[in-house]
Amino acid sequence: MPHADSYRIGDLVTVLPPYDRDPYILNFQHYGRVAAVEHRENMGSDLYMVELESTLPPRRKVGPFPGNRLAKGWRDQSGRWLGE
């Protein structure tokens, strides 16, 4: 699945590996929704907070991630790709 240049709040996204420096939950749950977008002029790109649904506490936010760590869309439990 190709990378998108930018995302909006509410977009379905997949967090891409490597996960070694990320919260442990990302080893099991890669799919979520963009919860916040932060533009950093000194980096020349946006950073994204991703909200995961099946977490305790619910709707945990992880990140921030640069756009190149995200892919638009995610797979449902049957393996079907859901994207825009």
Side-chain angles (χ1 to χ4, degrees):
M1 203 64 164
H3 300 287
D5 292 328
S6 65
Y7 300 94
R8 297 182 312 254
I9 292 175
D11 283 352
L12 301 173
V13 294
T14 300
V15 180
L16 302 172
Y19 304 114
D20 56 329
R21 293 187 178 187
D22 295 330
Y24 189 64
I25 188 68
L26 283 175
N27 286 288
F28 306 101
Q29 187 178 153
H30 314 299
Y31 310 121
R33 293 184 185 275
V34 173
V37 180
E38 178 183 335
H39 184 71
R40 293 193 181 170
E41 291 292 328
N42 61 341
M43 293 185 68
S45 65
D46 292 334
L47 295 176
Y48 302 92
M49 292 297 292
V50 174
E51 181 179 274
L52 306 175
E53 292 191 18
S54 299
T55 61
L56 255 146
R59 300 170 62 156
R60 179 175 173 185
K61 292 176 180 61
V62 293
F65 299 105
N68 65 357
R69 283 282 314 275
L70 304 177
K72 192 172 284 279
W74 49 275
R75 294 186 191 274
D76 65 12
Q77 289 191 350
S78 69
R80 186 174 54 115
W81 189 262
L82 303 173
E84 298 178 49

